Amino acid sequence: MSANLFAAPAIPAEISDPINARILAVSEDRIAGFVEEPFATIAAAAELEEGVVIERLQAMLSTGVVRRIRQTLMATNLAPGALVAWRVAPDKLDAAFNYMVRDDPFSGHVVIRSTDADTPGSVYRLWTTLKVPQGFSMQRHCEFLAAAVGAETFRIMPAKRLFALGVGHVRRRGMEPGSRSEEAGRVFDTNIVELSPLEWRVLTSLKREFTVDEITPNPWRGRADDAGLPLKEFIRTARSLSEREVIGRFSTFLEHVKPSSAGERVTRYNALFHWRVPPGREIEAGKEIGRHHILTHAYWREGGPEFANVNVMAVAHGTDKQLVLEHKAAIDKHLDEAGIPISYTNVFWGGRSEIKPSEISPVDYQAWAKRVGLSTEVEAGHRQTGQQEMAEREMGQQ
């Protein structure tokens, strides 16, 4: 008799599996801040045993259904960031995309976008998110990247406020257009927080992606050892960072761009919505837009004349394009009912895309800049921050 007859059944790894769906509905974006036992916390919320959660997450990470598991940070509070739109000639677009993905650790989401018609800004096909540690120049960084990829021009759009921030693709499946909260969206500031060397040490260890072997009870013990700290001190520092709202959430990130090995897709359409509302009403509009459950991100950004002076943007995902447009129509109607006029709106659809965490360490930035030949000399009149001083000091010791 074949030994294969006695082999243990494979652990289901597809998101359509009911138990996996229960886990993901929690683990994508429902574990806020820092928690000492993240997998036990997911298990409690999903009403499952911790061992089941651990084996299912291990299986999903091993097969690539889950792209990464990590403690996220409120990066807008740790490094100045922006959405950057790049105007690149069509014959250079793929090469520019590849460069941003492979060679710039400070660019996160990299997406080639298009519109359904020629509209203001439709010639800006390449979009990236960018984080440049405090004390270094975002303008200089973008000028360097533009020269490297042959971009004709670019538009930097920092977030002035955030109104929605949470992924949750699984729990958004089948959501009805117009589904929204009774409460207005929360307004998140983007003030930069300076950290001590000890805090950076803990944060650097916290944010690293989990390997399959690290998905265990008490997962922070190994990270504390890596940071050279007693577990109690590591936990205390992490809790302090969470209280200062530097910590985002403990998250599992699905591979939502490419199909799984079984051909299953989490989502198919990635839409960036643009609205122009009256100046001075951006926060009011953002709070109303932030009510809508379909949105993974919403923020006040200034698009400038390149994008018809839009000032509020949001992101939604879905498996059906028409349904995504119906969600947007519901948001438009809600704004009208709230008495907030929209003088212009547009949708940029995501095509080819790669998503990676933006590096935010000033030490890593200094090392990268030295390697590629980018000057990081402090501009005249610009105060050097403690983070940059730390970077330069640590680089000098290497």
Side-chain angles (χ1 to χ4, degrees):
M1 185 177 292
S2 172
N4 289 336
L5 293 178
F6 300 100
I11 297 171
E14 293 298 319
I15 62 171
S16 56
D17 177 85
I19 292 177
N20 291 346
R22 280 171 63 184
I23 293 169
L24 293 168
V26 174
S27 66
E28 279 196 273
D29 66 347
R30 290 306 202 193
I31 308 301
F34 172 81
V35 293
E36 190 168 345
E37 290 283 0
F39 303 115
T41 304
I42 293 167
E47 298 182 343
L48 294 166
E49 294 294 325
E50 183 183 17
V52 173
V53 169
I54 285 174
E55 72 173 9
R56 293 304 182 96
L57 288 177
Q58 287 175 337
M60 287 188 276
L61 185 61
S62 297
T63 57
V65 171
V66 166
R67 191 172 69 251
R68 60 176 63 93
I69 298 175
R70 62 185 289 263
Q71 180 73 61
T72 70
L73 312 178
M74 288 298 292
T76 50
N77 298 114
L78 291 168
L83 182 65
V84 186
W86 306 85
R87 183 170 180 172
V88 181
D91 62 334
K92 297 180 179 179
L93 191 56
D94 283 334
F97 178 98
N98 293 337
Y99 184 93
M100 299 295 191
V101 171
R102 299 171 186 168
D103 298 313
D104 183 24
F106 306 93
S107 291
H109 292 46
V110 183
V111 186
I112 294 177
R113 294 192 178 274
S114 61
T115 55
D116 289 331
D118 288 337
T119 59
S122 60
V123 293
Y124 287 79
R125 299 288 314 283
L126 183 61
W127 295 69
T128 63
T129 56
L130 176 65
K131 298 290 181 190
V132 174
Q134 188 180 8
F136 301 99
S137 170
M138 183 172 294
Q139 178 68 28
R140 187 179 295 166
H141 188 99
C142 286
E143 289 170 355
F144 175 86
L145 294 181
V149 303
E152 298 168 15
T153 187
F154 55 86
R155 172 78 187 184
I156 301 174
M157 295 170 277
K160 294 190 171 185
R161 295 289 191 281
L162 306 178
F163 309 111
L165 191 62
V167 186
H169 296 300
V170 168
R171 64 182 174 82
R172 286 181 169 91
R173 297 182 108 186
M175 185 174 287
E176 291 293 321
S179 173
R180 64 180 188 258
S181 301
E182 291 295 323
E183 300 81 22
R186 182 181 171 189
V187 180
F188 296 88
D189 288 325
T190 55
N191 299 324
I192 301 298
V193 176
E194 289 204 31
L195 304 182
S196 69
L198 171 63
E199 289 168 330
W200 270 112
R201 201 160 134 205
V202 171
L203 204 65
T204 299
S205 184
L206 272 177
K207 71 184 181 66
R208 195 174 71 246
E209 295 176 20
F210 277 73
T211 64
V212 171
D213 292 341
E214 288 182 304
I215 304 173
T216 63
N218 195 11
W220 302 121
R221 183 177 300 279
R223 297 298 176 90
D225 291 342
D226 292 345
L229 293 170
L231 180 60
K232 286 185 178 180
E233 184 175 3
F234 185 92
I235 296 293
R236 179 192 61 77
T237 305
R239 284 178 174 162
S240 173
L241 291 169
S242 190
E243 289 167 3
R244 294 167 65 189
E245 298 190 332
V246 169
I247 301 292
R249 59 188 184 274
F250 188 87
S251 296
T252 58
F253 293 85
L254 290 170
E255 176 48 77
H256 66 275
V257 176
K258 306 178 186 72
S260 70
S261 57
E264 189 174 15
R265 283 183 180 271
V266 176
T267 186
R268 184 181 296 272
Y269 295 97
N270 164 355
L272 173 63
F273 301 151
H274 281 190
W275 294 277
R276 184 172 69 220
V277 302
R281 302 190 71 180
E282 295 91 350
I283 292 179
E284 181 186 358
K287 289 168 71 174
E288 295 304 321
I289 288 169
R291 294 178 187 266
H292 286 259
H293 298 142
I294 194 63
L295 300 177
T296 59
H297 302 76
Y299 20 56
W300 171 9
R301 298 187 190 272
E302 297 288 346
E306 296 92 335
F307 297 97
N309 294 307
V310 298
N311 46 13
V312 180
M313 303 180 187
V315 177
H317 298 78
T319 54
D320 180 89
K321 184 176 182 179
Q322 184 56 41
L323 185 57
V324 173
L325 289 172
E326 289 173 12
H327 278 287
K328 182 179 182 297
I331 298 172
D332 294 347
K333 181 181 178 183
H334 176 205
L335 287 174
D336 180 64
E337 292 170 347
I340 302 172
I342 303 169
S343 55
Y344 173 82
T345 187
N346 201 359
V347 181
F348 282 76
W349 298 100
R352 185 185 180 195
S353 64
E354 290 288 345
I355 302 171
K356 56 191 175 76
S358 301
E359 183 54 72
I360 56 171
S361 164
V363 175
D364 288 347
Y365 190 89
Q366 191 84 320
W368 173 83
K370 183 178 181 180
R371 187 172 69 253
V372 301
L374 172 61
S375 172
T376 59
E377 182 179 351
V378 179
E379 296 172 359
H382 187 91
R383 183 181 67 86
Q384 187 177 42
T385 68
Q387 293 176 13
Q388 188 174 6
E389 288 171 357
M390 180 183 71
E392 293 180 352
R393 183 172 62 252
E394 292 196 15
M395 282 297 295
Q397 293 173 352
Q398 293 177 4

